[in-house]
Amino acid sequence: MAVYIVLNNFTDQGIRNIKDTTKRANAIREMAKKFGVITKEIYWTLGSYDIVDIFEAPDDASMAALVASIGAAGNVRTLTLRAFSEADMNGILAKLG
């Protein structure tokens, strides 16, 4: 399964409803399952991003569907990163020849 890191910033709607943020996180965990995506971690953070999510997904399309659904709710804006483990990176480097 591929690993994805999603960086989130609250929208005006999301920050107005901040008291529901952990409830929304639980809803995202359930939503992810419907797309075959596993929620590994959700962190609320200080700094440039308000929330950092770590997911495992079988493919880019499944992850894209999840992120589109999250965005459609209107509480956060997302930036999604495909992450590679050390083993993944060694495989990539091996292809360089």
Side-chain angles (χ1 to χ4, degrees), residues 41-60:
E41 298 288 343
I42 298 177
Y43 297 104
W44 287 262
T45 57
L46 301 174
S48 298
Y49 295 94
D50 299 312
I51 302 170
V52 175
D53 307 315
I54 302 171
F55 296 103
E56 286 185 353
D59 53 55
D60 289 344

Side-chain angles (χ1 to χ4, degrees), residues 11-83:
T11 60
D12 289 342
Q13 172 184 304
I15 199 66
R16 271 194 313 272
N17 298 305
I18 188 70
K19 291 182 180 180
D20 295 331
T21 189
T22 56
K23 292 177 190 171
R24 292 192 302 259
N26 288 327
I28 288 168
R29 286 182 183 95
E30 292 304 312
M31 183 190 314
K33 290 178 188 176
K34 294 178 184 176
F35 295 107
V37 176
I38 298 167
T39 306
K40 300 300 283 183
E41 298 288 343
I42 298 177
Y43 297 104
W44 287 262
T45 57
L46 301 174
S48 298
Y49 295 94
D50 299 312
I51 302 170
V52 175
D53 307 315
I54 302 171
F55 296 103
E56 286 185 353
D59 53 55
D60 289 344
S62 298
M63 192 63 208
L66 173 60
V67 172
S69 294
I70 291 169
N75 295 300
V76 293
R77 287 183 194 84
T78 63
L79 173 66
T80 304
L81 308 169
R82 170 65 168 89

Side-chain angles (χ1 to χ4, degrees), residues 89-97:
M89 197 61 204
N90 283 332
I92 292 165
L93 295 172
K95 293 180 181 196
L96 295 177

